[in-house]
């Protein structure tokens, strides 16, 4: 763990409790004499706190110092991902956050699995935990859009990842490479890709594709695209 998240980090005094307290003082068996580094994931500051008091369920902390210490992604990246199984999305979140994804837009596509629900608070907790582990100082933005049409209207410059598009080549291969820029967003389908109805909506959009004869799972395509962009 690179730091502890606390929404009020920066205050002169605060109370550490809940899962963070349990992890620091029970699971890690940290001593009360050790200083703790905290972030609020809203600014670029790293706050150092001294433990003033400790009980079975919480610890009282006092601010000792702070410093500007940004550790945010250098590139602006945006993935617009059709909703698949919620557990698949949740398992992918830590990797997406570690790879520096700036914004994740989830939308209901024609092939999205119905009956799924996205627990936005749970998504936030997963991303916070990932930031604590990898040291990232900002939080990936997450939004949920109603459908494919809504995603296209909100992001008119977004690319689409689909079969038959302009091939995104590997730099190491020596082949000409299509520029991989994710700042305007890239739409990625659910399992099964996009329906014919949705493909008709993509008229005039730039379509990109991977140079592989294999069928990638939705989450594999998301992670591969982001890794290539970085």
């Amino acid at each position: 763990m690179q730091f502890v998240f606390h929404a009020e980090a920066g205050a002169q005094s605060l109370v550490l409790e809940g899962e963070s307290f349990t992890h620091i003082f029970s699971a890690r068996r940290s001593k009360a004499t050790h200083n703790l580094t905290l972030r609020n994931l809203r600014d670029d500051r790293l706050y150092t706190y001294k433990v003033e008091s400790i009980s079975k369920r919480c610890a009282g902390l006092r601010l000792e110092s702070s410093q500007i210490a940004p550790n945010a992604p250098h590139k602006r990246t945006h993935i617009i991902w059709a909703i698949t199984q919620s557990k698949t999305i949740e398992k992918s979140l830590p990797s997406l956050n570690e790879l520096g994804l700036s914004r994740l837009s989830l939308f209901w596509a024609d092939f999205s699995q119905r009956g799924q629900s996205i627990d936005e608070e749970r998504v936030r907790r997963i991303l916070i935990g990932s930031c604590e582990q990898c040291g990232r100082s900002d939080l990936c933005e997450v939004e949920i859009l109603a459908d494919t049409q809504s995603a296209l209207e909100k992001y008119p410059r977004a690319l689409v990842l689909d079969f038959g598009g302009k091939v995104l080549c590997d730099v190491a291969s020596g082949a000409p490479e299509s520029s991989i820029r994710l700042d305007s967003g890239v739409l990625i389908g659910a399992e099964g890709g996009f329906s014919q109805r949705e493909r008709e909506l993509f008229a005039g959009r730039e379509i990109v594709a991977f140079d592989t004869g294999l069928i990638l799972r939705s989450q594999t395509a998301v992670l591969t695209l982001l890794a290539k962009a970085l």
Side-chain angles (χ1 to χ4, degrees), residues 82 107-114 148 193-198:
F107 69 99
W108 294 98
D110 287 354
F111 292 157
S112 289
Q113 296 189 30
R114 300 301 166 178
T148 308
F194 295 107
S195 69
Q196 183 57 40
R197 184 194 71 83
E198 288 173 317

Side-chain angles (χ1 to χ4, degrees), residues 5 10-11 13-14 18 33 38 48 51-52 56 69 71 112 115 120 124 126 128 130 135 169 181 187 205 230:
F5 167 77
S13 61
L14 52 79
T33 54
L38 278 66
T48 300
V51 179
E52 285 199 310
K56 291 183 178 180
N71 191 18
S112 289
E120 295 185 66
R124 177 176 168 79
I126 292 172
I128 288 173
S130 172
C169 301
R181 293 191 58 186
L187 270 76
R205 296 274 175 153
L230 297 178

Side-chain angles (χ1 to χ4, degrees), residues 113-205:
Q113 296 189 30
R114 300 301 166 178
Q116 300 295 311
S117 61
I118 304 299
D119 186 338
E120 295 185 66
E121 182 55 37
R122 177 171 169 78
V123 166
R124 177 176 168 79
R125 290 198 302 270
I126 292 172
L127 290 173
I128 288 173
S130 172
C131 286
E132 289 179 324
Q133 292 297 326
C134 72
R136 180 173 171 173
S137 61
D138 69 336
L139 205 59
C140 174
E141 304 169 22
V142 179
E143 66 176 349
I144 300 176
L145 303 174
D147 50 32
T148 308
Q149 182 69 49
S150 300
L152 292 171
E153 290 176 356
K154 185 168 184 179
Y155 300 106
R157 297 174 55 214
L159 309 179
V160 178
L161 183 70
D162 199 10
F163 298 108
K166 181 167 31 176
V167 172
L168 300 173
C169 301
D170 192 340
V171 178
S173 69
E177 183 195 14
S178 299
S179 177
I180 310 173
R181 293 191 58 186
L182 304 188
D183 54 336
S184 298
V186 179
L187 270 76
I188 299 177
E191 300 303 329
F194 295 107
S195 69
Q196 183 57 40
R197 184 194 71 83
E198 288 173 317
R199 289 192 171 100
E200 292 173 0
L201 297 175
F202 300 154
R205 296 274 175 153

Side-chain angles (χ1 to χ4, degrees), residues 39-52:
R39 286 190 187 272
N40 55 36
L41 296 179
R42 297 189 306 274
D43 57 34
D44 289 328
R45 288 190 172 274
L46 192 64
Y47 299 94
T48 300
Y49 281 84
K50 179 178 179 59
V51 179
E52 285 199 310

